[in-house]
Amino acid sequence: MIQTISNYAGQSVTLNGWLYNKRGSGKIQFLQIRDGTGFIQAVMSRQDVTEAEFEAAASLPQESSLKITGLVKQDDRAPFCGYELQVTGFEVVSRSEEYPISKKEHGDAFLMDNRHLWLRSMRQHTILRIRASIVKAVRDYFDDNNFLLVDSPIFTPNACEGTSTLFETEWFDKRKAYLSQSGQLYQEAACMAFGRSYCFGPTFRAEKSKTRRHLNEFWMVEPEVAFIDLEGDISLAEDFLCHVIERVLNLHEKDLTQILERDLNILKNTRKPFPRLHYLDAVKKIQELGMEIELGGDFGAPHETELTKLYDRPLVVTHFPSAIKAFYMKKDPENPTYAKCMDILAPEGYGEIIGGGEREDNLDLLLAEIKKHGLNQADFEWFLDLRRYGSCPHAGFGMGIERCVAWVCGLHHVRETIPFARTLDRLSP
Ligand code: 4AD
Ligand code: MG
């Protein structure tokens, strides 16, 4: 494997892989090989291989699969990995047809149509490896901090985040079922059973938005903790996010700077505590920036972008108006117009990456909210039981992995952060 090639310096190895690119002359071929774990330059001199092998390599189209043998040589100047392969043997496994993704510029739609092939490019390869590292850092954080992984179901009988963004399906001939918008309600049951729990799975929103931050299917991690309040929730989210960013920087600094050309200054600034703003102060600041915003209304992407430009690290906005938030949010007892909730906004215009807060733990207040939101109480009886049997203050949050990856990698659009994006206009490949 190219990933472990440094263990084989001075030895002869055989790699299975694909031809990423090549250049050369009648005497020497520089073959860029990828095997999925990395990229390496293989140097093939005419005198070191048979005539047939040299000709096969010289005429081989990009992305043909191959088997290549050679001597591993350490060379600081070697591209990609600091090692080079001096070729002694070469075999074509399957000659590629003309590869659709060439070196020339392609439009976004073309690349997304060819996502099954585009994944092979060095840039996409890097992004998805960083995504995998973020997922592992997320899981490790909760596993190492006494949270129990409790998977939430995907088919649900009710809405969690508002009825307007539900994907609906038939549950046999019995009733309608919905794809989960969030695993939170089940985590509330889990935290009452296990104290601290989390789920991490796909979630679905039937939003018709075409923004660069929205997917119709995305992956969300959702911790939930019994006996903590909003304050405890914010500290947890800060600690968690700092851990994730630190891990990515440790593992991928070179990938980020060299391949994705990411400026790391702000990422390196992600240290707690994060600055905090009450919703009312955030609105004031947005107005001072000369932007229009209605008091009581939600932030739009431009508001978030301009507001976060004022800070050099993620920003926590708390106490949004209850009226624009989900039914389960706990109202601030000191001013019930506002909810004990928080959003963490990433800097550099990436907007909300975490949303969460304290949950309404009072049965009567929760019942009133269910009615007010026009939800069917019968579907929530199990959820209401959590308030009937040993209710307690509890809080949690959700982080969309794709928004986090987009920010870390400095990507314009979330569609590149997930292997196969699902958006309003795309269900394929
Ligand atoms: O703010 P949201 O809607 O909150 C919830 O779903 C809560 N139930 C979470 C909880 O408290 N357990 O979504 C949480 C996060 C957002 O901050 C964002 O990162 C991501 O999920 N997200 C999306 N990511 C991509 N595409 C979308 N359409 C998203 N909607 C939310
Ligand atoms: Mg939100």
Side-chain angles (χ1 to χ4, degrees):
M1 286 198 298
I2 296 173
Q3 200 164 32
T4 56
I5 204 78
S6 60
N7 300 336
Y8 298 90
Q11 298 178 37
S12 175
V13 299
T14 299
L15 296 172
N16 294 311
W18 295 265
L19 181 65
Y20 188 62
N21 211 340
K22 72 171 180 354
R23 65 187 169 84
S25 62
K27 286 202 179 111
I28 193 160
Q29 290 292 326
F30 296 96
L31 309 170
Q32 295 181 359
I33 307 293
R34 57 171 199 91
D35 75 343
T37 73
F39 296 78
I40 195 168
Q41 175 166 277
V43 183
M44 180 189 270
S45 298
R46 199 181 263 280
Q47 77 240 21
D48 294 340
V49 291
T50 66
E51 191 62 25
E53 284 173 327
F54 192 86
E55 290 311 324
S59 70
L60 202 62
Q62 189 188 351
E63 285 303 327
S64 298
S65 51
L66 50 84
K67 197 184 256 301
I68 192 164
T69 302
L71 188 69
V72 179
K73 285 175 65 176
Q74 202 255 323
D75 181 350
D76 289 338
R77 291 160 309 166
F80 313 128
C81 61
Y83 291 83
E84 212 169 64
L85 204 64
Q86 205 177 340
V87 184
T88 54
F90 187 77
E91 190 186 313
V92 176
V93 175
S94 174
R95 226 182 124 83
S96 172
E97 292 177 29
E98 194 180 332
Y99 194 61
I101 304 177
S102 56
K103 285 287 142 194
K104 66 171 193 282
E105 290 280 315
H106 295 290
D108 293 337
F110 176 85
L111 290 169
M112 285 304 286
D113 285 343
N114 286 284
R115 183 64 171 167
H116 52 296
L117 302 176
W118 192 27
L119 294 178
R120 304 179 187 190
S121 81
M122 192 176 298
R123 191 179 149 80
Q124 297 307 313
H125 189 264
T126 305
I127 294 168
L128 291 183
R129 281 191 177 272
I130 292 174
R131 175 189 170 103
S133 293
I134 289 177
V135 168
K136 184 157 168 20
V138 162
R139 287 193 182 283
D140 286 348
Y141 179 85
F142 292 116
D143 292 343
D144 294 346
N145 284 284
N146 305 311
F147 283 75
L148 187 73
L149 172 68
V150 181
D151 303 309
S152 290
I154 286 174
F155 284 120
T156 58
N158 51 257
C160 179
E161 297 296 327
T163 47
S164 63
T165 62
L166 280 172
F167 276 111
E168 197 176 282
T169 179
E170 295 300 321
W171 193 250
F172 305 102
D173 56 358
K174 297 180 200 309
R175 57 163 294 163
K176 292 204 183 314
Y178 309 98
L179 296 187
S180 176
Q181 300 164 307
S182 156
Q184 177 196 321
L185 305 188
Y186 296 93
Q187 292 313 301
E188 291 189 48
C191 86
M192 299 294 165
F194 302 102
R196 306 170 136 222
S197 67
Y198 77 101
C199 64
F200 179 41
T203 41
F204 306 87
R205 306 274 170 105
E207 295 169 295
K208 290 196 171 146
S209 33
K210 286 191 180 181
T211 80
R212 63 196 189 91
R213 296 176 184 175
H214 285 89
L215 293 164
N216 295 111
E217 175 179 313
F218 63 96
W219 283 67
M220 180 153 54
V221 59
E222 296 180 88
E224 192 76 21
V225 183
F227 297 105
I228 63 165
D229 58 6
L230 177 61
E231 197 55 40
D233 197 39
I234 296 173
S235 321
L236 175 67
E238 282 174 336
D239 197 58
F240 158 75
L241 195 57
C242 292
H243 162 89
V244 170
I245 300 304
E246 195 185 320
R247 176 84 75 83
V248 186
L249 287 172
N250 281 338
L251 292 173
H252 294 286
E253 181 153 349
K254 238 172 89 184
D255 292 333
L256 287 166
T257 52
Q258 293 181 6
I259 297 170
L260 301 178
E261 293 170 2
R262 180 77 169 105
D263 173 357
L264 297 185
N265 280 325
I266 290 216
L267 286 178
K268 286 186 172 168
N269 257 336
T270 305
R271 279 188 234 108
K272 28 176 210 186
F274 299 161
R276 293 184 193 186
L277 284 180
H278 188 288
Y279 169 83
L280 289 171
D281 296 320
V283 168
K284 215 181 282 167
K285 280 208 193 289
I286 292 170
Q287 286 168 340
E288 280 164 15
L289 288 167
M291 303 183 81
E292 281 194 24
I293 182 167
E294 203 185 317
L295 190 65
D298 210 350
F299 298 167
H303 299 131
E304 289 180 352
T305 300
E306 292 310 312
L307 185 62
T308 52
K309 276 189 190 159
L310 301 175
Y311 303 91
D312 67 349
R313 63 191 70 197
L315 169 70
V316 189
V317 181
T318 64
H319 300 91
F320 283 82
S322 305
I324 56 166
K325 287 292 180 181
F327 75 96
Y328 53 73
M329 297 255 180
K330 189 174 175 67
K331 294 191 169 69
D332 184 358
E334 280 160 32
N335 187 353
T337 311
Y338 299 97
K340 290 186 83 179
C341 65
M342 58 100 175
D343 276 3
I344 298 190
L345 310 183
E348 304 166 276
Y350 285 89
E352 180 197 335
I353 56 170
I354 287 180
E358 217 176 308
R359 321 306 187 184
E360 185 51 73
D361 50 355
N362 177 286
L363 179 63
D364 295 330
L365 293 178
L366 188 57
L367 264 171
E369 281 304 308
I370 287 176
K371 286 212 181 77
K372 204 159 102 194
H373 281 80
L375 299 166
N376 180 12
Q377 188 184 324
D379 291 335
F380 291 89
E381 281 302 330
W382 69 270
F383 186 64
L384 293 165
D385 272 353
L386 306 173
R387 278 71 184 167
R388 294 186 179 110
Y389 305 107
S391 188
C392 69
H394 61 289
F397 63 82
M399 180 178 84
I401 291 296
E402 292 75 16
R403 297 246 182 115
C404 180
V405 177
W407 171 47
V408 167
C409 293
L411 305 177
H412 179 69
H413 201 295
V414 286
R415 68 184 156 217
E416 283 181 62
T417 67
I418 187 163
F420 295 96
R422 295 292 173 251
T423 55
L424 186 55
D425 299 322
R426 183 166 300 283
L427 189 60
S428 164

